[in-house]
Amino acid sequence: MAGESGVDATLAALADPTRRKVIDLLREGPRPAGELAQEVRMSAPALSRHLRVLRAGGLVRAEAGGSDARLRLYTLRQEPFTALQAWLDQVQAFWAEQLGSFKDHVERTGRGEEGPRS
């Protein structure tokens, strides 16, 4: 399946609850690393490791923030989430087809309308 390595990287990055919390915070808008660290109650060096994983997975990017070139604002990137949603849609379509086939089978055979046959 095309894009599997991207989906793998996205899922690996999202496997940690702290990184999911960072994603949730960034959904509200760009934030500096220091503010993110405060929100998740973590030291800046510890959060830096999580941000590195999120950047490597392509989920976030760091951009210069305003007049202070040292300030980095973190923002979400749409592409990995779009790819993840496409993969999830494929999985959902598979299960919808499987359940539809099962429903058709039950309706054709008459099973499910009556109790157990003797």
Side-chain angles (χ1 to χ4, degrees):
M1 184 184 319
E4 276 188 43
S5 63
V7 170
D8 291 347
T10 299
L11 290 172
L14 293 174
D16 185 275
T18 298
R19 292 192 288 268
R20 289 193 305 274
K21 174 69 174 168
V22 168
I23 295 296
D24 287 341
L25 291 167
L26 291 175
R27 286 177 35 220
E28 299 169 6
R31 294 186 185 219
E35 186 179 315
L36 291 168
Q38 285 179 329
E39 290 284 338
V40 297
R41 293 183 171 94
M42 184 173 281
S43 71
L47 182 66
S48 178
R49 290 187 287 276
H50 288 289
L51 290 171
R52 194 172 319 129
V53 171
L54 290 170
R55 280 193 319 270
L59 280 80
V60 302
R61 71 173 142 253
E63 299 172 340
S67 60
D68 186 353
R70 296 172 299 162
L71 180 66
R72 309 296 281 169
L73 287 178
Y74 286 84
T75 60
L76 291 177
R77 294 185 66 242
Q78 179 181 352
E79 297 85 358
F81 295 100
T82 301
L84 177 60
Q85 186 62 56
W87 181 77
L88 290 170
D89 289 346
Q90 291 173 354
V91 172
Q92 183 178 12
F94 166 79
W95 284 111
E97 181 181 334
Q98 293 295 310
L99 291 173
S101 295
F102 179 70
K103 178 181 179 243
D104 292 345
H105 170 74
V106 168
E107 288 172 352
R108 268 193 325 272
T109 61
R111 294 183 187 155
E113 294 178 7
E114 304 168 9
R117 293 184 177 177
S118 10

